[in-house]
Structure formats: structure tokens, C-alpha cells
């Protein structure tokens, strides 16, 4: 369905997390005459995105239809956030941060071909950098490493900024729980389904699986770099408020949304072992966040038409919604152009 006919198209974006809001921004950029509505029952601090650490860092598996498309999503997302970063008047919570990915197991555990192909300063960690963090007494064996500069997208600021941007461009924001996409048939010409984990029920999609995550946010303004160690131990600073996100865990198939104290102890122990100065941060109050990431073996970006309504699905980003949202938004909107 082309978006170029004479009548102004009525477009609904269902979902107001980072995926949905990036989609709405892309629709408005490409089709400024479209009537865009963002419909959701959760906004800003109520969303899963609000708890994200926000580092632009894809995993190395093929999450799109093929490796080339997956790379394009990463490239497009990087370009989108970088352009916003360079616009000093756009205070949207994006900051540049450098850091390391370390491993004790092998070079394949730190290599990331997506980042290598889009980030200019991506390189192997030096011997001195590896040794500076090597600590057998703390069971931290940094034998392999990568250094690069990326961006942290603070959703606590990005989501409100995006909503205002959408509203200022003529979009409307509707707080409403959608039980079935059929509720919107006829009311809108195009519906973008960006409902994340809720798509499991809305679309009866058995391929959507929760990945339970738990992270801790502490006050540690002296931490300037991000760190990953053997994948699931990570330390990601926020330049905006001096807090640092400590993680993490990935529990496939878990629906448990309460705090697990054992997970808390494990995260704190591993992060302090990696960066001992974090022990000082634990003398102050800290926040614990738990969320269910909407994983799918392949992110679903597909179009279907039911009578006169076009539905474009865009969900299943797992823990990489922040990283991939602008790229998948562009790909999803491309489906509407002939």
C-alpha cells in the first residue's frame, strides 16, 4: 500500500516504548502529511524501555532476515542516534561513551562484526588495557578484549523527548489499552504493531518468549567507561546523572517480575570484582529493576492487509530495542513504499 495517494493517511502506532516512538518519528519524517497517532496504555516510566541501560550494542547473531539486513539495521540506528548526538540543541539523552568488551574464554566472545563495520575506532584492546583489569584474585581473567566508542541512549530522557517531538509535529498521543488490533480496523489506514511482549497475545505468536532481566542502578559518577565481561556482566554509565547500570542476567522463558535477591548479590559481586571502586557506590541507596524483554528468534517486520487496513508488525527485539529501533523503524516504513 503506497502512502502517496491524495487523501491524508491515518496512521496508528501501537506501543510507546523505544521501538514504537522511533517508528512514529520515522513515519512523520517520511510522510509529514500523515495523521499519526501513538496509542498505548503505558508511557515513559511505565514502559520496559525506561529500565534499559541503553548502550548501543547489538548481539552478534542474525536477528533480521539475513546478515546484510541485520547490518543495515545497526548502521541505520547508529546514524540516527549519531545525528541527534551532533545536534547540540536536541537534549534527548544521548551521550557518547567509550569502553571495553572483555572475555576469559576466547576472542570470538568479544568480536562483533556489526560494530566492526560501523564504528570507526573499533579495535583490539591493548596488552596494557587487558592487564589493567586482569585480577585472578577476583576471578577476572581479561585475556581478550575489544575497545570502541558507542552511545548510551537514556530512555528516561529520550522517550519524553520523542513524545514531544511527535506531538509538536502534529501527532496525537492516546492512552488506551488495545486488546485486539481489530479495534482499530477502519479507524486507521495503517497500523504499526510495536507492542513488544504484548504481541505474544495480540498476534497469538508462540515465537515471542520473555527473557527476564534484572539490573541495578547505582550512583557512581567516577565511572566513565562501559565494561562487558563474558557477556552477562556489564557496567554502563550515564553521563546525564552520574548513575551506572550494573547487570545482568538473561532468564529465557521466565515470567517472574519480582526482584530476586540472589541475582542482586551475584550482579553486585561480579561487577565489583571487575571494577573494585564500585564497592564505594554500594554505601548509598540503589535501585533494582526487573523486566521481561520480548525475544523472538527473528524480529518480526512484516506487512499484511485485512480489508482496507494495512498492518505492519515490528516486534521481537529482545534486549536490543534501543540498539535496533531506528533501523527497524526505517525498514518497517519502507514496506509501505512501492
Amino acid at each position: 500500500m503506497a502512502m502517496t495517494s491524495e487523501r491524508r493517511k491515518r496512521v496508528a502506532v501501537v506501543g510507546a516504548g523505544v521501538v514504537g516512538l522511533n517508528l512514529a518519528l520515522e513515519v512523520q519524517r517520511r510522510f509529514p502529511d500523515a495523521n499519526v497517532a501513538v496509542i498505548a496504555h503505558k508511557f515513559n516510566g511505565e514502559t520496559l524501555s525506561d529500565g534499559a541501560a541503553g548502550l548501543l550494542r547489538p548481539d552478534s547473531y542474525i536477528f533480521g532476515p539475513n546478515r546484510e539486513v541485520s547490518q543495515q539495521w545497526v548502521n541505520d540506528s547508529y546514524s540516527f542516534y549519531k545525528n541527534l548526538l551532533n545536534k547540540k540543541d536536541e537534549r534527548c539523552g544521548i551521550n557518547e561513551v567509550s569502553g571495553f568488551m572483555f572475555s576469559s574464554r576466547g576472542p570470538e566472545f568479544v568480536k562483533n562484526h556489526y560494530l566492526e563495520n560501523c564504528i570507526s575506532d573499533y579495535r583490539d584492546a591493548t596488552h596494557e588495557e587487558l592487564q589493567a583489569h586482569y585480577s585472578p584474585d577476583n576471578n577476572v581473567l581479561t585475556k581478550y578484549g575489544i575497545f570502541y566508542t558507542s552511545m548510551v541512549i537514556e530512555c528516561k530522557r529520550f522517550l519524553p523527548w520523542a513524545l514531544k517531538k511527535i506531538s509538536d509535529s502534529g501527532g496525537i498521543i492516546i492512552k488506551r489499552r488495545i486488546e485486539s488490533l481489530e479495534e482499530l480496523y477502519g479507524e486507521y489506514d495503517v497500523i504499526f504493531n510495536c507492542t513488544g511482549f504484548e504481541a505474544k497475545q495480540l498476534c497469538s505468536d508462540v515465537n515471542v518468549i520473555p527473557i527476564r532481566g534484572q539490573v541495578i542502578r547505582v550512583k557512581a559518577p567516577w565511572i566513565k567507561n562501559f565494561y562487558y565481561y563474558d557477556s552477562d556482566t556489564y557496567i554502563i554509565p550515564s553521563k546525564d546523572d552520574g548513575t551506572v547500570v550494573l547487570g545482568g542476567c538473561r532468564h529465557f522463558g521466565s515470567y517472574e517480575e519480582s526482584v530476586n535477591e540472589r541475582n542482586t548479590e551475584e550482579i553486585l559481586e561480579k561487577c565489583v570484582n571487575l571494577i573494585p571502586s564500585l564497592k564505594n557506590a554500594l554505601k548509598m541507596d540503589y535501585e533494582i529493576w526487573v523486566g521481561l524483554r520480548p525475544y523472538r528468534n527473528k524480529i518480526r517486520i512484516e506487512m499484511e492487509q485485512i480489508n482496507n487496513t494495512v498492518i505492519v508488525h515490528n516486534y521481537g527485539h529482545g534486549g536490543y530495542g534501543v540498539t535496533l529501533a531506528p533501523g527497524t523503524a526505517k525498514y518497517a516504513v519502507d514496506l509501505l513504499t512501492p
Side-chain angles (χ1 to χ4, degrees), residues 150-168:
S150 186
M151 290 165 282
V152 169
I153 297 89
E154 282 286 342
C155 281
K156 291 181 185 299
R157 290 187 60 186
F158 182 83
L159 297 182
W161 170 87
L163 280 169
K164 185 176 186 304
K165 195 84 171 174
I166 293 162
S167 182
D168 289 348

Side-chain angles (χ1 to χ4, degrees), residues 95-134:
N95 293 292
E96 205 164 52
V97 182
S98 299
F100 300 91
M101 294 174 61
F102 291 128
S103 178
S104 63
R105 295 179 283 185
E108 67 272 20
F109 292 98
V110 294
K111 293 286 186 181
N112 189 302
H113 50 88
Y114 295 123
L115 295 175
E116 189 172 11
N117 289 327
C118 79
I119 292 182
S120 60
D121 70 348
Y122 178 98
R123 61 167 174 80
D124 291 334
T126 65
H127 176 73
E128 291 74 20
E129 288 166 341
L130 294 173
Q131 288 300 304
H133 299 90
Y134 192 89

